[in-house]
Amino acid sequence: MKKRLLGALISSAMVASLLAGCSSSNSGTTEPVTDGGTETEQTTEETADTAATVEEAAQEVAENTESADGELIDIGFAQVGHESDWRTASTKSCQDVFSEANGYNLSFVDCDNDSAAQLEAVRSFIEQDVDYIIIDPIVSTGWDTVLTECEDAGIPVIVIDRTIDDSDKYAAWVGSDFKQEGLAAGEWLKAYADSKGITEINALVISGTTGASAQIGRSDGFKEVADSYGWTILDEQSGDFTEDGGQEVMESYCKSYEGKFNVVVCQNDNEAFGAMTAMDNAGVTYGPDGDVILISFDACTAGLEEVKARKITADFECNPLAAPTVEEVIKTLQSGGTPETEVYMPEHWYALSDAIVEFSINGEAQEMTEVTDEVIEAQY
Ligand code: GYE
């Protein structure tokens, strides 16, 4: 939307070379990924001529942007990475909503779970002078300086999914109540264990990326319930929200706690898939028919398929489709309005019918959703 001439082209070239070697978010590479810069700039013949004197990346910017309609809203999105099915759904949702056809130029950076790369990405968006910056913060602290820089540059920031806990210099946050998810998992477990006559809980937790608000909230919520019922949490180690991480942690748990645990809590579906492989290899049975109650979070399509297959006993949803709400925030800001500063995504708790039990959180009765083929089909 903003008209940028040579300076912007040069900074786009800088961004392109800064992030060189990047590839698609599903590639599993360790480099940050971007499509930023190559299709985000608007130019004129004059700037395209001058751009011929700068590096090839800038030339590409000029070529690509000649077709832009001149009124697109420039958005930079510093995404966490590509660690999970949830993340893939979140990225797709943002790319679908913030498309050129919808009036946006999206500079997307996959930060590959690297906090330093994420700060660098935000600074590159300031350099590009985008209209809005969306951040899904890998960790919840360390943000005030760069958010001050955004503020000084006059660029509104919208935080999506995970929270920022040490700065309030952003226009709005759209995401999930992670503590509520952890409380739900705990209170469901209490009701389910009671229904099966299980009186002792010895739980192993495979947590998400340490310091991510999704990890902190889910750990705090589950622990609060565990403490209130006197359960034992034998161990909590991070699987970094990845399948490999979940498998690695579970392999070590199977050795260290052989025969001593009856609950495994994985803080996302991908960790649960890894934990399932490790338990299969160790001869541990799990799910509604097994020795171990397996709890997961996210409830993406692949997770719900494992609920249907009687592997995951219950799955607590975290909704990744925040982008349409973020777009509402941007529209409000565009028209000079004040958006809601906190918007919570709706979420559901899933199980098969024989693991659906009545429970409440702080006196509030919870609904559970039975996993059927139609439910799986409708999920992301
Ligand atoms: O649960 C996990 C992803 O931040 C809520 O990050 C998100 C979490 C999600 O890697 O799968």
Side-chain angles (χ1 to χ4, degrees), residues 124-377:
S124 78
F125 297 147
I126 298 173
E127 275 287 298
Q128 287 178 65
D129 196 20
V130 298
D131 297 306
Y132 298 93
I133 295 175
I134 303 173
I135 301 172
D136 188 329
I138 296 169
V139 291
S140 62
T141 54
W143 285 101
D144 200 53
T145 304
V146 78
L147 291 191
T148 305
E149 290 166 30
C150 295
E151 194 174 70
D152 291 347
I155 304 174
V157 170
I158 297 144
V159 181
I160 186 171
D161 170 32
R162 303 181 185 175
T163 55
I164 284 178
D165 297 339
D166 63 354
S167 178
D168 58 3
K169 298 190 177 80
Y170 52 86
W173 166 84
V174 181
S176 302
D177 188 337
F178 304 114
K179 180 155 184 209
Q180 181 80 352
E181 294 170 3
L183 290 170
E187 294 292 1
W188 167 83
L189 176 58
K190 167 70 176 152
Y192 180 72
D194 283 353
S195 77
K196 301 277 166 209
I198 299 167
T199 51
E200 209 181 300
I201 298 290
N202 291 299
L204 287 167
V205 177
I206 303 180
S207 54
T209 300
T210 306
S213 70
Q215 174 273 312
I216 297 167
R218 289 170 190 167
S219 292
D220 286 355
F222 185 76
K223 190 173 181 309
E224 191 173 302
V225 178
D227 288 348
S228 77
Y229 295 122
W231 298 340
T232 304
I233 296 180
L234 294 163
D235 210 339
E236 170 162 344
Q237 285 176 32
S238 174
D240 235 354
F241 285 130
T242 65
E243 181 163 348
D244 285 355
Q247 181 172 342
E248 207 177 298
V249 173
M250 196 66 227
E251 277 165 0
S252 108
Y253 281 169
C254 284
K255 288 189 195 119
S256 314
Y257 300 100
E258 193 185 344
K260 296 191 177 119
F261 58 96
N262 60 353
V263 174
V264 171
V265 181
C266 295
Q267 286 185 354
N268 79 345
D269 287 337
N270 296 80
E271 289 182 341
F273 306 152
M276 283 158 47
T277 306
M279 287 193 278
D280 287 341
N281 293 340
V284 174
T285 62
Y286 51 88
D289 311 310
D291 292 334
V292 170
I293 298 167
L294 180 57
I295 294 174
S296 183
F297 294 88
D298 280 358
C300 289
T301 305
L304 292 187
E305 278 166 352
E306 297 300 351
V307 175
K308 183 90 200 304
R310 305 187 70 77
K311 304 279 185 191
I312 293 174
T313 321
D315 207 341
F316 297 83
E317 184 181 29
C318 183
N319 188 334
L321 308 182
T325 309
V326 174
E327 188 185 30
E328 290 307 312
V329 170
I330 287 174
K331 284 184 173 160
T332 303
L333 291 168
Q334 281 291 107
S335 61
T338 308
E340 270 192 59
T341 50
E342 279 190 351
V343 182
Y344 286 93
M345 298 296 294
E347 355 224 51
H348 299 86
W349 321 134
Y350 293 97
L352 288 176
S353 58
D354 55 358
I356 290 185
V357 285
E358 282 182 13
F359 70 98
S360 54
I361 301 173
N362 298 324
E364 203 181 306
Q366 302 293 301
E367 288 277 323
M368 287 193 79
T369 305
E370 183 184 348
V371 176
T372 60
D373 288 335
E374 295 70 51
V375 166
I376 295 174
E377 182 68 25

Side-chain angles (χ1 to χ4, degrees), residues 25 35-36 53 96 113 159 185 208 228 311:
S25 61
D35 64 10
T53 62
D96 287 351
N113 216 26
V159 181
S228 77
K311 304 279 185 191

Side-chain angles (χ1 to χ4, degrees), residues 103-115:
Y104 301 96
N105 272 322
L106 178 65
S107 291
F108 175 81
V109 178
D110 173 335
C111 302
D112 199 25
N113 216 26
D114 177 339
S115 294

